[in-house]
Amino acid sequence: MADYSRIISKTLSPSQWTDVNESSILAPYTYLTSAPSKETLRHLANALNDWLRVESTQLELIIRMAQALQNDSLLFDDIEDGSELRRGQPVANTVYGVPQTVNAASYVVIKVYKDASELSGIMKDNASIKVSSTPEEIITEELLNAHRGQGMDILWRDQVTCPTEDEYIDMIKNKTASLFKILMRLMMACATERKNVYASHAVSDRHWTYFTDLGTHRNYIPLIELIGVMYQIRDDYSNLRDASYSDTKGFAEDLTEGKFSFPLVHAIRADESNTRLLDIIRQHPKSPELKREALLYMENESKSFDYTLAVLRALQIRIDEEMKALGGNPKLEKLLDKLRVK
């Protein structure tokens, strides 16, 4: 008679999880993060900390969570968008496959919530920190926003439905700005520098929702939303106009993806009787010649690139005004200057 005692014994004993196991299932994520990046969130956090004075251990934990969620979103984005390149190398899912990449990305989100629980414990030990939203609640709220934005972006692409500019701005406030707001709101929750709330925004119902998180802090949320929107529109512009961008993401990749980016939304809405761009987008063009035809139309006929630059300048002026009203921040000004489209 066969002896199954080893199987029974193994079933009843604690499972073994090794560092090798951990690194193996995280390989797609590690592959992505090993490529050079601009470390925008880290630089942003360090600049914002001139205002908020978050203790270094907590700040590092917050940066780690925010960066993990940002990188995680890129793994999902590349699958959902059918991208080929990310940071100058083949996307993770083409190297490791979609199933392993999805599992790694999902695993990272769970690890972020584990870090959020650790941050909650630190905050509970600090009697001076009194906020109504826990780190877990902040992350949940903003991830819901991020997925709402991403969902609309995908829906418009798959249905070849061009949004209005207002709809597009709402989408990127959810999709892109939410990742910036995770960083900002967690830092505000752990801040040691306490100032009066930035009252000039109190008339906006949208910003009242954040006041419970602020305690006696200024309201930095409008600034971070402006930065998030500016960052995405700048990215949209660079995807179609910046030659160096082609090296890391491919030539005018947004056109191949069929993505309704900000310049494209303007170009289509500028003359809705002309369906040329919609017809091109519907084909998800890979031909450089067809892409150049679309770009020339946007440059010479709809003037969409000029319009996008004007919008970016307007956003940058408003960001400068917000920073000044908040007391000024030379470090943040220097960081944002690098993001300006010259």
Side-chain angles (χ1 to χ4, degrees):
M1 183 176 180
D3 181 8
Y4 301 109
S5 59
R6 180 181 58 83
I7 301 298
I8 300 300
S9 176
K10 181 61 180 175
T11 301
L12 295 175
S13 64
S15 297
Q16 300 298 313
W17 188 251
T18 66
D19 290 341
V20 172
N21 296 147
E22 183 80 1
S23 62
S24 295
I25 70 167
L26 280 173
Y29 180 83
T30 305
Y31 169 80
L32 169 67
T33 56
S34 65
S37 71
K38 296 178 181 178
E39 295 276 333
T40 300
L41 285 178
R42 178 173 292 280
H43 295 312
L44 179 61
N46 288 331
L48 293 171
N49 209 40
D50 281 1
W51 279 329
L52 297 168
R53 307 297 181 187
V54 178
E55 187 273 327
S56 60
T57 301
Q58 296 170 48
L59 180 63
E60 191 58 39
L61 186 57
I62 290 169
I63 292 172
R64 187 171 78 194
M65 287 189 287
Q67 287 182 322
L69 291 172
Q70 182 192 46
N71 288 318
D72 210 55
S73 71
L74 299 181
L75 292 176
F76 283 120
D77 281 357
D78 289 341
I79 294 171
E80 293 165 344
D81 296 342
S83 301
E84 296 181 356
L85 292 176
R86 173 68 68 180
R87 294 174 180 170
Q89 63 184 21
V91 295
N93 57 278
T94 62
V95 177
Y96 295 93
V98 171
Q100 191 175 349
T101 303
V102 168
N103 188 76
S106 301
Y107 185 61
V108 167
V109 173
I110 297 168
K111 287 171 69 70
V112 166
Y113 273 96
K114 187 174 182 294
D115 286 341
S117 179
E118 179 183 341
L119 184 62
S120 288
I122 295 172
M123 291 168 64
K124 287 177 183 177
D125 291 338
N126 188 341
S128 68
I129 297 177
K130 295 179 181 180
V131 293
S132 61
S133 296
T134 66
E136 295 94 333
E137 289 169 337
I138 290 171
I139 291 170
T140 298
E141 289 170 16
E142 298 303 343
L143 284 184
L144 283 172
N145 288 333
H147 282 77
R148 288 165 183 158
Q150 177 74 343
M152 292 308 300
D153 201 15
I154 293 171
L155 188 67
W156 295 331
R157 179 198 69 194
D158 291 352
Q159 295 183 351
V160 196
T161 301
C162 181
T164 64
E165 282 187 10
D166 286 352
E167 289 172 333
Y168 186 81
I169 295 298
D170 278 340
M171 183 274 290
I172 58 178
K173 282 171 70 176
N174 282 330
K175 177 182 174 178
T176 306
S178 62
L179 294 172
F180 288 81
K181 284 192 286 183
I182 286 174
L183 177 72
M184 183 79 259
R185 292 182 65 190
L186 289 175
M187 288 184 65
M188 288 165 66
C190 295
T192 60
E193 185 72 17
R194 298 187 175 272
K195 299 178 180 179
N196 294 328
V197 171
Y198 186 30
S200 66
H201 289 281
V203 294
S204 170
D205 289 340
R206 176 173 176 80
H207 294 110
W208 273 110
T209 61
Y210 290 101
F211 280 11
T212 53
D213 287 338
L214 296 174
T216 55
H217 295 309
R218 291 179 184 268
N219 187 3
Y220 300 99
I221 298 301
L223 172 63
I224 215 68
E225 287 186 328
L226 285 164
I227 291 173
V229 170
M230 184 271 290
Y231 187 88
Q232 183 61 59
I233 293 177
R234 173 190 177 276
D235 189 73
D236 290 348
Y237 178 88
S238 298
N239 185 284
L240 301 177
R241 297 291 281 173
D242 189 344
S244 64
Y245 201 97
S246 300
D247 297 333
T248 58
K249 285 284 287 177
F251 172 56
E253 188 205 24
D254 281 352
L255 296 178
T256 303
E257 291 178 5
K259 176 183 176 181
F260 288 97
S261 66
F262 188 80
L264 189 62
V265 169
H266 175 267
I268 291 172
R269 293 287 178 177
D271 181 5
E272 296 187 48
S273 67
N274 189 330
T275 64
R276 188 193 313 178
L277 283 178
L278 273 175
D279 292 336
I280 291 175
I281 286 295
R282 190 175 283 112
Q283 299 177 56
H284 294 267
K286 292 187 176 181
S287 161
E289 291 74 18
L290 193 54
K291 291 184 185 182
R292 289 193 184 96
E293 180 182 338
L295 296 176
L296 285 172
Y297 177 89
M298 296 167 71
E299 180 177 5
N300 299 322
E301 297 190 43
S302 66
K303 307 293 184 181
S304 298
F305 296 128
D306 290 342
Y307 177 77
T308 302
L309 285 175
V311 169
L312 284 171
R313 284 193 291 270
L315 284 167
Q316 289 161 357
I317 290 170
R318 184 55 189 272
I319 287 169
D320 290 342
E321 291 172 350
E322 290 283 333
M323 285 195 294
K324 183 178 180 181
L326 288 165
N329 187 322
K331 194 180 292 183
L332 182 58
E333 291 170 13
K334 184 176 180 180
L335 172 62
L336 293 177
D337 188 59
K338 293 180 181 179
L339 298 177
R340 298 179 193 273
V341 176
K342 304 295 192 294

